[in-house]
Amino acid sequence: MEYRLTIVVPVYNEEDNLLRVEAEFLKYFKTAVAKSKVLFVNDGSKDNSQHIIEEICSRNSDFEFISFVENRGLSAAIKAGFDNTDTELVGYIDSDLQTAPEDFNILIKEIGTYDLVTGVRADRKDSFVKNMSSKIANGIRRSFTHDGMDDTGCPLKIIKTDYAQRIPMFKGLHRFLPAMILLQNGKVKQVPVRHFPRIAGEAKFGLWNRLLGPLMDCFAYLWMKKKYINYNIGKSSRG
């Protein structure tokens, strides 16, 4: 049975979470609606993450990895995962497991007529400051993009691979994935998913990343929207 879904898992200094990632995905594979595999993207980790990733991949044929020479950031890791996907669908989840691999089954049931399905974190298990800063950032972004999404920062998404590989990613654009699908005249949908507290490792984003950074990225998105090239071929002599 061929794989239908590749799930990209960006990793940056997550040595304390990776064995949990392996265990949770092995559970998910047993109930997966579509045959799935994991693609770790090691974003230049300085801890023992790479060694653990290689051990996981050596004992599980459903796990693969690519590793950056140096840290390039979350958007670059996601872009590299998309570019190295060879299945019909590509998913994305963070390695901190604040969302559950099993919830890919919820998303994949909705993907049929849509080109991106993203989770919305129900009953978020984060601090008050983190929740409020994310809520404000989502409101600012939504006013710029008009994408109708309540929680683009949710690290649980499924995208049709041909759409994902056409996204012109730049630093910070991982927050704008639904908007970038809409630029391609694609269809997007959001569905509620579970959310859990981080139990190991350290968060990589602070107040700056959630508020001021995304505000600057909104202006970059507006520039890209104005310059974005989109076309449809009506006729062709090619077979």
Side-chain angles (χ1 to χ4, degrees):
M1 182 176 172
E2 293 185 358
Y3 293 106
R4 188 182 177 210
L5 172 65
T6 298
I7 300 169
V8 176
V9 182
V11 176
Y12 180 62
N13 295 343
E14 293 285 1
E15 61 181 4
D16 294 330
N17 278 314
L18 289 172
L19 294 181
R20 288 180 56 238
V21 171
E22 177 188 25
E24 290 301 312
F25 269 103
L26 289 176
K27 285 168 52 181
Y28 161 70
F29 291 151
K30 295 177 182 178
T31 62
V33 172
K35 186 168 175 59
S36 308
K37 61 180 176 178
V38 167
L39 175 60
F40 288 114
V41 182
N42 184 11
D43 183 20
S45 295
K46 296 177 176 62
D47 62 1
N48 200 37
S49 291
Q50 180 60 31
H51 176 71
I52 298 172
I53 287 171
E54 291 185 23
E55 286 191 335
I56 292 171
C57 293
S58 69
R59 60 179 174 253
N60 299 289
S61 61
D62 295 328
F63 291 78
E64 302 172 337
F65 77 88
I66 57 177
S67 181
F68 288 176
V69 173
E70 57 188 0
N71 177 247
R72 303 305 296 169
L74 179 57
S75 291
I78 293 172
K79 173 63 173 170
F82 289 174
D83 288 346
N84 286 274
T85 291
D86 57 4
T87 53
E88 172 194 355
L89 301 173
V90 59
Y92 156 55
I93 190 173
D94 279 348
S95 52
D96 60 15
L97 290 184
Q98 287 196 257
T99 50
E102 288 93 340
D103 285 352
F104 278 113
N105 284 336
I106 299 173
L107 271 58
I108 204 166
K109 290 176 182 178
E110 305 290 339
I111 196 70
T113 58
Y114 294 92
D115 304 298
L116 173 147
V117 180
T118 182
V120 177
R121 290 168 286 191
D123 189 23
R124 286 187 64 172
K125 307 298 183 181
D126 288 322
S127 68
F128 174 80
V129 171
K130 186 174 181 179
N131 283 336
M132 286 305 298
S133 60
S134 293
K135 185 175 181 178
I136 293 169
N138 271 305
I140 294 171
R141 176 202 43 73
R142 197 162 49 244
S143 69
F144 275 78
T145 64
H146 305 289
D147 61 7
M149 298 289 105
D150 297 316
D151 185 18
T152 58
C154 178
L156 197 76
K157 293 176 172 64
I158 288 181
I159 313 175
K160 290 180 178 174
T161 301
D162 56 342
Y163 280 82
Q165 292 180 340
R166 290 196 297 264
I167 295 174
M169 296 285 283
F170 62 84
K171 188 174 182 180
L173 201 64
H174 60 274
R175 302 181 183 94
F176 296 83
L177 292 176
M180 297 307 297
I181 299 301
L182 292 174
L183 280 186
Q184 300 179 47
N185 296 322
K187 296 174 63 179
V188 301
K189 183 175 183 177
Q190 56 185 3
V191 296
V193 296
R194 294 171 293 168
H195 189 247
F196 306 92
R198 175 186 271 271
I199 64 173
E202 296 181 356
K204 308 303 187 294
F205 294 94
L207 187 61
W208 165 266
N209 304 95
R210 296 193 190 95
L211 287 179
L212 299 181
L215 177 59
M216 292 166 41
D217 293 339
C218 283
F219 291 102
Y221 166 77
L222 290 182
W223 176 88
M224 179 169 291
K225 182 177 180 180
K226 183 178 180 181
K227 301 292 185 180
Y228 189 76
I229 295 173
N230 203 355
Y231 62 88
N232 294 300
I233 295 175
K235 291 184 177 181
S236 174
S237 63
R238 303 178 69 179

mmCIF file with all atom_site columns, all heavy atoms in Angstrom, residues 95-116:
data_model
loop_
_atom_site.group_PDB
_atom_site.id
_atom_site.type_symbol
_atom_site.label_atom_id
_atom_site.label_alt_id
_atom_site.label_comp_id
_atom_site.label_asym_id
_atom_site.label_entity_id
_atom_site.label_seq_id
_atom_site.pdbx_PDB_ins_code
_atom_site.Cartn_x
_atom_site.Cartn_y
_atom_site.Cartn_z
_atom_site.occupancy
_atom_site.B_iso_or_equiv
_atom_site.pdbx_formal_charge
_atom_site.auth_seq_id
_atom_site.auth_comp_id
_atom_site.auth_asym_id
_atom_site.auth_atom_id
_atom_site.pdbx_PDB_model_num
ATOM 1   N N   . SER A 1 95  ? 7.124   19.170 16.970 1.00 0.00 ? 95  SER A N   1
ATOM 2   C CA  . SER A 1 95  ? 7.698   18.053 17.721 1.00 0.00 ? 95  SER A CA  1
ATOM 3   C C   . SER A 1 95  ? 7.463   18.157 19.219 1.00 0.00 ? 95  SER A C   1
ATOM 4   O O   . SER A 1 95  ? 7.818   17.233 19.953 1.00 0.00 ? 95  SER A O   1
ATOM 5   C CB  . SER A 1 95  ? 9.201   17.951 17.440 1.00 0.00 ? 95  SER A CB  1
ATOM 6   O OG  . SER A 1 95  ? 9.842   19.193 17.644 1.00 0.00 ? 95  SER A OG  1
ATOM 7   N N   . ASP A 1 96  ? 6.852   19.260 19.688 1.00 0.00 ? 96  ASP A N   1
ATOM 8   C CA  . ASP A 1 96  ? 6.547   19.343 21.118 1.00 0.00 ? 96  ASP A CA  1
ATOM 9   C C   . ASP A 1 96  ? 5.279   18.585 21.486 1.00 0.00 ? 96  ASP A C   1
ATOM 10  O O   . ASP A 1 96  ? 4.951   18.438 22.662 1.00 0.00 ? 96  ASP A O   1
ATOM 11  C CB  . ASP A 1 96  ? 6.433   20.803 21.570 1.00 0.00 ? 96  ASP A CB  1
ATOM 12  C CG  . ASP A 1 96  ? 5.345   21.580 20.839 1.00 0.00 ? 96  ASP A CG  1
ATOM 13  O OD1 . ASP A 1 96  ? 4.481   20.956 20.193 1.00 0.00 ? 96  ASP A OD1 1
ATOM 14  O OD2 . ASP A 1 96  ? 5.366   22.824 20.916 1.00 0.00 ? 96  ASP A OD2 1
ATOM 15  N N   . LEU A 1 97  ? 4.538   18.111 20.468 1.00 0.00 ? 97  LEU A N   1
ATOM 16  C CA  . LEU A 1 97  ? 3.335   17.298 20.667 1.00 0.00 ? 97  LEU A CA  1
ATOM 17  C C   . LEU A 1 97  ? 2.272   18.004 21.511 1.00 0.00 ? 97  LEU A C   1
ATOM 18  O O   . LEU A 1 97  ? 1.573   17.363 22.298 1.00 0.00 ? 97  LEU A O   1
ATOM 19  C CB  . LEU A 1 97  ? 3.675   15.941 21.282 1.00 0.00 ? 97  LEU A CB  1
ATOM 20  C CG  . LEU A 1 97  ? 4.414   14.964 20.375 1.00 0.00 ? 97  LEU A CG  1
ATOM 21  C CD1 . LEU A 1 97  ? 4.605   13.632 21.084 1.00 0.00 ? 97  LEU A CD1 1
ATOM 22  C CD2 . LEU A 1 97  ? 3.689   14.757 19.055 1.00 0.00 ? 97  LEU A CD2 1
ATOM 23  N N   . GLN A 1 98  ? 2.123   19.311 21.310 1.00 0.00 ? 98  GLN A N   1
ATOM 24  C CA  . GLN A 1 98  ? 0.994   19.996 21.941 1.00 0.00 ? 98  GLN A CA  1
ATOM 25  C C   . GLN A 1 98  ? -0.285  19.775 21.133 1.00 0.00 ? 98  GLN A C   1
ATOM 26  O O   . GLN A 1 98  ? -1.369  20.172 21.571 1.00 0.00 ? 98  GLN A O   1
ATOM 27  C CB  . GLN A 1 98  ? 1.290   21.490 22.102 1.00 0.00 ? 98  GLN A CB  1
ATOM 28  C CG  . GLN A 1 98  ? 2.305   21.767 23.202 1.00 0.00 ? 98  GLN A CG  1
ATOM 29  C CD  . GLN A 1 98  ? 2.330   23.217 23.627 1.00 0.00 ? 98  GLN A CD  1
ATOM 30  O OE1 . GLN A 1 98  ? 3.230   23.967 23.244 1.00 0.00 ? 98  GLN A OE1 1
ATOM 31  N NE2 . GLN A 1 98  ? 1.355   23.625 24.417 1.00 0.00 ? 98  GLN A NE2 1
ATOM 32  N N   . THR A 1 99  ? -0.147  19.165 19.968 1.00 0.00 ? 99  THR A N   1
ATOM 33  C CA  . THR A 1 99  ? -1.288  18.633 19.232 1.00 0.00 ? 99  THR A CA  1
ATOM 34  C C   . THR A 1 99  ? -1.026  17.145 19.007 1.00 0.00 ? 99  THR A C   1
ATOM 35  O O   . THR A 1 99  ? 0.100   16.670 19.128 1.00 0.00 ? 99  THR A O   1
ATOM 36  C CB  . THR A 1 99  ? -1.491  19.352 17.880 1.00 0.00 ? 99  THR A CB  1
ATOM 37  O OG1 . THR A 1 99  ? -0.236  19.393 17.176 1.00 0.00 ? 99  THR A OG1 1
ATOM 38  C CG2 . THR A 1 99  ? -2.000  20.762 18.090 1.00 0.00 ? 99  THR A CG2 1
ATOM 39  N N   . ALA A 1 100 ? -2.082  16.389 18.694 1.00 0.00 ? 100 ALA A N   1
ATOM 40  C CA  . ALA A 1 100 ? -1.990  14.929 18.658 1.00 0.00 ? 100 ALA A CA  1
ATOM 41  C C   . ALA A 1 100 ? -1.945  14.399 17.228 1.00 0.00 ? 100 ALA A C   1
ATOM 42  O O   . ALA A 1 100 ? -2.776  14.786 16.406 1.00 0.00 ? 100 ALA A O   1
ATOM 43  C CB  . ALA A 1 100 ? -3.189  14.325 19.385 1.00 0.00 ? 100 ALA A CB  1
ATOM 44  N N   . PRO A 1 101 ? -1.007  13.499 16.908 1.00 0.00 ? 101 PRO A N   1
ATOM 45  C CA  . PRO A 1 101 ? -0.988  12.894 15.583 1.00 0.00 ? 101 PRO A CA  1
ATOM 46  C C   . PRO A 1 101 ? -2.316  12.254 15.196 1.00 0.00 ? 101 PRO A C   1
ATOM 47  O O   . PRO A 1 101 ? -2.714  12.290 14.026 1.00 0.00 ? 101 PRO A O   1
ATOM 48  C CB  . PRO A 1 101 ? 0.129   11.853 15.693 1.00 0.00 ? 101 PRO A CB  1
ATOM 49  C CG  . PRO A 1 101 ? 1.060   12.408 16.719 1.00 0.00 ? 101 PRO A CG  1
ATOM 50  C CD  . PRO A 1 101 ? 0.159   13.086 17.718 1.00 0.00 ? 101 PRO A CD  1
ATOM 51  N N   . GLU A 1 102 ? -3.023  11.665 16.166 1.00 0.00 ? 102 GLU A N   1
ATOM 52  C CA  . GLU A 1 102 ? -4.299  11.021 15.851 1.00 0.00 ? 102 GLU A CA  1
ATOM 53  C C   . GLU A 1 102 ? -5.298  11.985 15.216 1.00 0.00 ? 102 GLU A C   1
ATOM 54  O O   . GLU A 1 102 ? -6.181  11.569 14.457 1.00 0.00 ? 102 GLU A O   1
ATOM 55  C CB  . GLU A 1 102 ? -4.919  10.425 17.121 1.00 0.00 ? 102 GLU A CB  1
ATOM 56  C CG  . GLU A 1 102 ? -4.199  9.202  17.638 1.00 0.00 ? 102 GLU A CG  1
ATOM 57  C CD  . GLU A 1 102 ? -3.142  9.569  18.677 1.00 0.00 ? 102 GLU A CD  1
ATOM 58  O OE1 . GLU A 1 102 ? -2.734  10.759 18.698 1.00 0.00 ? 102 GLU A OE1 1
ATOM 59  O OE2 . GLU A 1 102 ? -2.724  8.686  19.436 1.00 0.00 ? 102 GLU A OE2 1
ATOM 60  N N   . ASP A 1 103 ? -5.157  13.288 15.489 1.00 0.00 ? 103 ASP A N   1
ATOM 61  C CA  . ASP A 1 103 ? -6.104  14.260 14.947 1.00 0.00 ? 103 ASP A CA  1
ATOM 62  C C   . ASP A 1 103 ? -5.888  14.533 13.462 1.00 0.00 ? 103 ASP A C   1
ATOM 63  O O   . ASP A 1 103 ? -6.705  15.211 12.830 1.00 0.00 ? 103 ASP A O   1
ATOM 64  C CB  . ASP A 1 103 ? -6.055  15.563 15.752 1.00 0.00 ? 103 ASP A CB  1
ATOM 65  C CG  . ASP A 1 103 ? -6.748  15.420 17.104 1.00 0.00 ? 103 ASP A CG  1
ATOM 66  O OD1 . ASP A 1 103 ? -7.389  14.371 17.342 1.00 0.00 ? 103 ASP A OD1 1
ATOM 67  O OD2 . ASP A 1 103 ? -6.650  16.347 17.931 1.00 0.00 ? 103 ASP A OD2 1
ATOM 68  N N   . PHE A 1 104 ? -4.818  13.979 12.882 1.00 0.00 ? 104 PHE A N   1
ATOM 69  C CA  . PHE A 1 104 ? -4.705  14.025 11.419 1.00 0.00 ? 104 PHE A CA  1
ATOM 70  C C   . PHE A 1 104 ? -5.877  13.286 10.774 1.00 0.00 ? 104 PHE A C   1
ATOM 71  O O   . PHE A 1 104 ? -6.285  13.614 9.650  1.00 0.00 ? 104 PHE A O   1
ATOM 72  C CB  . PHE A 1 104 ? -3.374  13.428 10.946 1.00 0.00 ? 104 PHE A CB  1
ATOM 73  C CG  . PHE A 1 104 ? -2.224  14.391 11.018 1.00 0.00 ? 104 PHE A CG  1
ATOM 74  C CD1 . PHE A 1 104 ? -1.189  14.177 11.906 1.00 0.00 ? 104 PHE A CD1 1
ATOM 75  C CD2 . PHE A 1 104 ? -2.175  15.512 10.208 1.00 0.00 ? 104 PHE A CD2 1
ATOM 76  C CE1 . PHE A 1 104 ? -0.120  15.072 11.989 1.00 0.00 ? 104 PHE A CE1 1
ATOM 77  C CE2 . PHE A 1 104 ? -1.112  16.408 10.267 1.00 0.00 ? 104 PHE A CE2 1
ATOM 78  C CZ  . PHE A 1 104 ? -0.085  16.178 11.170 1.00 0.00 ? 104 PHE A CZ  1
ATOM 79  N N   . ASN A 1 105 ? -6.416  12.299 11.470 1.00 0.00 ? 105 ASN A N   1
ATOM 80  C CA  . ASN A 1 105 ? -7.585  11.585 10.943 1.00 0.00 ? 105 ASN A CA  1
ATOM 81  C C   . ASN A 1 105 ? -8.787  12.509 10.812 1.00 0.00 ? 105 ASN A C   1
ATOM 82  O O   . ASN A 1 105 ? -9.617  12.342 9.902  1.00 0.00 ? 105 ASN A O   1
ATOM 83  C CB  . ASN A 1 105 ? -7.930  10.396 11.841 1.00 0.00 ? 105 ASN A CB  1
ATOM 84  C CG  . ASN A 1 105 ? -6.989  9.231  11.654 1.00 0.00 ? 105 ASN A CG  1
ATOM 85  O OD1 . ASN A 1 105 ? -6.369  9.092  10.600 1.00 0.00 ? 105 ASN A OD1 1
ATOM 86  N ND2 . ASN A 1 105 ? -6.861  8.394  12.671 1.00 0.00 ? 105 ASN A ND2 1
ATOM 87  N N   . ILE A 1 106 ? -8.910  13.479 11.701 1.00 0.00 ? 106 ILE A N   1
ATOM 88  C CA  . ILE A 1 106 ? -9.995  14.459 11.610 1.00 0.00 ? 106 ILE A CA  1
ATOM 89  C C   . ILE A 1 106 ? -9.792  15.348 10.391 1.00 0.00 ? 106 ILE A C   1
ATOM 90  O O   . ILE A 1 106 ? -10.721 15.592 9.611  1.00 0.00 ? 106 ILE A O   1
ATOM 91  C CB  . ILE A 1 106 ? -10.051 15.326 12.887 1.00 0.00 ? 106 ILE A CB  1
ATOM 92  C CG1 . ILE A 1 106 ? -10.318 14.456 14.116 1.00 0.00 ? 106 ILE A CG1 1
ATOM 93  C CG2 . ILE A 1 106 ? -11.116 16.412 12.762 1.00 0.00 ? 106 ILE A CG2 1
ATOM 94  C CD1 . ILE A 1 106 ? -10.222 15.213 15.434 1.00 0.00 ? 106 ILE A CD1 1
ATOM 95  N N   . LEU A 1 107 ? -8.551  15.814 10.206 1.00 0.00 ? 107 LEU A N   1
ATOM 96  C CA  . LEU A 1 107 ? -8.259  16.732 9.107  1.00 0.00 ? 107 LEU A CA  1
ATOM 97  C C   . LEU A 1 107 ? -8.394  16.050 7.743  1.00 0.00 ? 107 LEU A C   1
ATOM 98  O O   . LEU A 1 107 ? -8.953  16.614 6.803  1.00 0.00 ? 107 LEU A O   1
ATOM 99  C CB  . LEU A 1 107 ? -6.849  17.307 9.265  1.00 0.00 ? 107 LEU A CB  1
ATOM 100 C CG  . LEU A 1 107 ? -6.709  18.586 10.093 1.00 0.00 ? 107 LEU A CG  1
ATOM 101 C CD1 . LEU A 1 107 ? -7.245  18.396 11.500 1.00 0.00 ? 107 LEU A CD1 1
ATOM 102 C CD2 . LEU A 1 107 ? -5.249  19.049 10.143 1.00 0.00 ? 107 LEU A CD2 1
ATOM 103 N N   . ILE A 1 108 ? -7.892  14.817 7.647  1.00 0.00 ? 108 ILE A N   1
ATOM 104 C CA  . ILE A 1 108 ? -7.847  14.160 6.338  1.00 0.00 ? 108 ILE A CA  1
ATOM 105 C C   . ILE A 1 108 ? -9.242  13.812 5.828  1.00 0.00 ? 108 ILE A C   1
ATOM 106 O O   . ILE A 1 108 ? -9.472  13.748 4.610  1.00 0.00 ? 108 ILE A O   1
ATOM 107 C CB  . ILE A 1 108 ? -6.933  12.919 6.388  1.00 0.00 ? 108 ILE A CB  1
ATOM 108 C CG1 . ILE A 1 108 ? -6.410  12.595 4.983  1.00 0.00 ? 108 ILE A CG1 1
ATOM 109 C CG2 . ILE A 1 108 ? -7.659  11.716 6.978  1.00 0.00 ? 108 ILE A CG2 1
ATOM 110 C CD1 . ILE A 1 108 ? -5.263  11.621 4.971  1.00 0.00 ? 108 ILE A CD1 1
ATOM 111 N N   . LYS A 1 109 ? -10.190 13.642 6.732  1.00 0.00 ? 109 LYS A N   1
ATOM 112 C CA  . LYS A 1 109 ? -11.564 13.373 6.308  1.00 0.00 ? 109 LYS A CA  1
ATOM 113 C C   . LYS A 1 109 ? -12.199 14.588 5.639  1.00 0.00 ? 109 LYS A C   1
ATOM 114 O O   . LYS A 1 109 ? -13.212 14.460 4.942  1.00 0.00 ? 109 LYS A O   1
ATOM 115 C CB  . LYS A 1 109 ? -12.400 12.929 7.502  1.00 0.00 ? 109 LYS A CB  1
ATOM 116 C CG  . LYS A 1 109 ? -12.040 11.546 8.033  1.00 0.00 ? 109 LYS A CG  1
ATOM 117 C CD  . LYS A 1 109 ? -12.845 11.199 9.275  1.00 0.00 ? 109 LYS A CD  1
ATOM 118 C CE  . LYS A 1 109 ? -12.455 9.830  9.825  1.00 0.00 ? 109 LYS A CE  1
ATOM 119 N NZ  . LYS A 1 109 ? -13.194 9.503  11.076 1.00 0.00 ? 109 LYS A NZ  1
ATOM 120 N N   . GLU A 1 110 ? -11.617 15.786 5.847  1.00 0.00 ? 110 GLU A N   1
ATOM 121 C CA  . GLU A 1 110 ? -12.176 17.026 5.304  1.00 0.00 ? 110 GLU A CA  1
ATOM 122 C C   . GLU A 1 110 ? -11.447 17.499 4.048  1.00 0.00 ? 110 GLU A C   1
ATOM 123 O O   . GLU A 1 110 ? -11.894 18.444 3.395  1.00 0.00 ? 110 GLU A O   1
ATOM 124 C CB  . GLU A 1 110 ? -12.100 18.137 6.361  1.00 0.00 ? 110 GLU A CB  1
ATOM 125 C CG  . GLU A 1 110 ? -12.754 17.806 7.683  1.00 0.00 ? 110 GLU A CG  1
ATOM 126 C CD  . GLU A 1 110 ? -14.265 17.730 7.588  1.00 0.00 ? 110 GLU A CD  1
ATOM 127 O OE1 . GLU A 1 110 ? -14.837 18.304 6.647  1.00 0.00 ? 110 GLU A OE1 1
ATOM 128 O OE2 . GLU A 1 110 ? -14.884 17.078 8.468  1.00 0.00 ? 110 GLU A OE2 1
ATOM 129 N N   . ILE A 1 111 ? -10.342 16.873 3.683  1.00 0.00 ? 111 ILE A N   1
ATOM 130 C CA  . ILE A 1 111 ? -9.466  17.426 2.646  1.00 0.00 ? 111 ILE A CA  1
ATOM 131 C C   . ILE A 1 111 ? -10.033 17.277 1.239  1.00 0.00 ? 111 ILE A C   1
ATOM 132 O O   . ILE A 1 111 ? -9.619  17.992 0.328  1.00 0.00 ? 111 ILE A O   1
ATOM 133 C CB  . ILE A 1 111 ? -8.059  16.779 2.715  1.00 0.00 ? 111 ILE A CB  1
ATOM 134 C CG1 . ILE A 1 111 ? -7.024  17.594 1.925  1.00 0.00 ? 111 ILE A CG1 1
ATOM 135 C CG2 . ILE A 1 111 ? -8.095  15.341 2.214  1.00 0.00 ? 111 ILE A CG2 1
ATOM 136 C CD1 . ILE A 1 111 ? -6.675  18.908 2.523  1.00 0.00 ? 111 ILE A CD1 1
ATOM 137 N N   . GLY A 1 112 ? -11.003 16.410 1.049  1.00 0.00 ? 112 GLY A N   1
ATOM 138 C CA  . GLY A 1 112 ? -11.490 16.090 -0.299 1.00 0.00 ? 112 GLY A CA  1
ATOM 139 C C   . GLY A 1 112 ? -11.674 17.282 -1.224 1.00 0.00 ? 112 GLY A C   1
ATOM 140 O O   . GLY A 1 112 ? -11.016 17.397 -2.261 1.00 0.00 ? 112 GLY A O   1
ATOM 141 N N   . THR A 1 113 ? -12.567 18.205 -0.893 1.00 0.00 ? 113 THR A N   1
ATOM 142 C CA  . THR A 1 113 ? -12.841 19.354 -1.753 1.00 0.00 ? 113 THR A CA  1
ATOM 143 C C   . THR A 1 113 ? -12.036 20.584 -1.356 1.00 0.00 ? 113 THR A C   1
ATOM 144 O O   . THR A 1 113 ? -12.188 21.649 -1.956 1.00 0.00 ? 113 THR A O   1
ATOM 145 C CB  . THR A 1 113 ? -14.338 19.719 -1.728 1.00 0.00 ? 113 THR A CB  1
ATOM 146 O OG1 . THR A 1 113 ? -14.731 20.009 -0.372 1.00 0.00 ? 113 THR A OG1 1
ATOM 147 C CG2 . THR A 1 113 ? -15.176 18.557 -2.249 1.00 0.00 ? 113 THR A CG2 1
ATOM 148 N N   . TYR A 1 114 ? -11.182 20.433 -0.346 1.00 0.00 ? 114 TYR A N   1
ATOM 149 C CA  . TYR A 1 114 ? -10.351 21.543 0.112  1.00 0.00 ? 114 TYR A CA  1
ATOM 150 C C   . TYR A 1 114 ? -8.885  21.275 -0.226 1.00 0.00 ? 114 TYR A C   1
ATOM 151 O O   . TYR A 1 114 ? -8.486  20.143 -0.477 1.00 0.00 ? 114 TYR A O   1
ATOM 152 C CB  . TYR A 1 114 ? -10.518 21.754 1.619  1.00 0.00 ? 114 TYR A CB  1
ATOM 153 C CG  . TYR A 1 114 ? -11.908 22.219 1.993  1.00 0.00 ? 114 TYR A CG  1
ATOM 154 C CD1 . TYR A 1 114 ? -12.895 21.290 2.331  1.00 0.00 ? 114 TYR A CD1 1
ATOM 155 C CD2 . TYR A 1 114 ? -12.234 23.564 1.981  1.00 0.00 ? 114 TYR A CD2 1
ATOM 156 C CE1 . TYR A 1 114 ? -14.184 21.704 2.658  1.00 0.00 ? 114 TYR A CE1 1
ATOM 157 C CE2 . TYR A 1 114 ? -13.515 23.993 2.302  1.00 0.00 ? 114 TYR A CE2 1
ATOM 158 C CZ  . TYR A 1 114 ? -14.485 23.065 2.638  1.00 0.00 ? 114 TYR A CZ  1
ATOM 159 O OH  . TYR A 1 114 ? -15.762 23.478 2.940  1.00 0.00 ? 114 TYR A OH  1
ATOM 160 N N   . ASP A 1 115 ? -8.101  22.343 -0.235 1.00 0.00 ? 115 ASP A N   1
ATOM 161 C CA  . ASP A 1 115 ? -6.683  22.223 -0.564 1.00 0.00 ? 115 ASP A CA  1
ATOM 162 C C   . ASP A 1 115 ? -5.794  22.383 0.662  1.00 0.00 ? 115 ASP A C   1
ATOM 163 O O   . ASP A 1 115 ? -4.620  22.024 0.634  1.00 0.00 ? 115 ASP A O   1
ATOM 164 C CB  . ASP A 1 115 ? -6.326  23.251 -1.633 1.00 0.00 ? 115 ASP A CB  1
ATOM 165 C CG  . ASP A 1 115 ? -7.211  23.099 -2.862 1.00 0.00 ? 115 ASP A CG  1
ATOM 166 O OD1 . ASP A 1 115 ? -7.159  22.026 -3.490 1.00 0.00 ? 115 ASP A OD1 1
ATOM 167 O OD2 . ASP A 1 115 ? -7.985  24.030 -3.170 1.00 0.00 ? 115 ASP A OD2 1
ATOM 168 N N   . LEU A 1 116 ? -6.356  22.936 1.730  1.00 0.00 ? 116 LEU A N   1
ATOM 169 C CA  . LEU A 1 116 ? -5.691  22.988 3.028  1.00 0.00 ? 116 LEU A CA  1
ATOM 170 C C   . LEU A 1 116 ? -6.750  22.851 4.109  1.00 0.00 ? 116 LEU A C   1
ATOM 171 O O   . LEU A 1 116 ? -7.799  23.501 4.039  1.00 0.00 ? 116 LEU A O   1
ATOM 172 C CB  . LEU A 1 116 ? -4.921  24.299 3.216  1.00 0.00 ? 116 LEU A CB  1
ATOM 173 C CG  . LEU A 1 116 ? -4.303  24.549 4.609  1.00 0.00 ? 116 LEU A CG  1
ATOM 174 C CD1 . LEU A 1 116 ? -3.001  25.332 4.494  1.00 0.00 ? 116 LEU A CD1 1
ATOM 175 C CD2 . LEU A 1 116 ? -5.257  25.303 5.545  1.00 0.00 ? 116 LEU A CD2 1
#
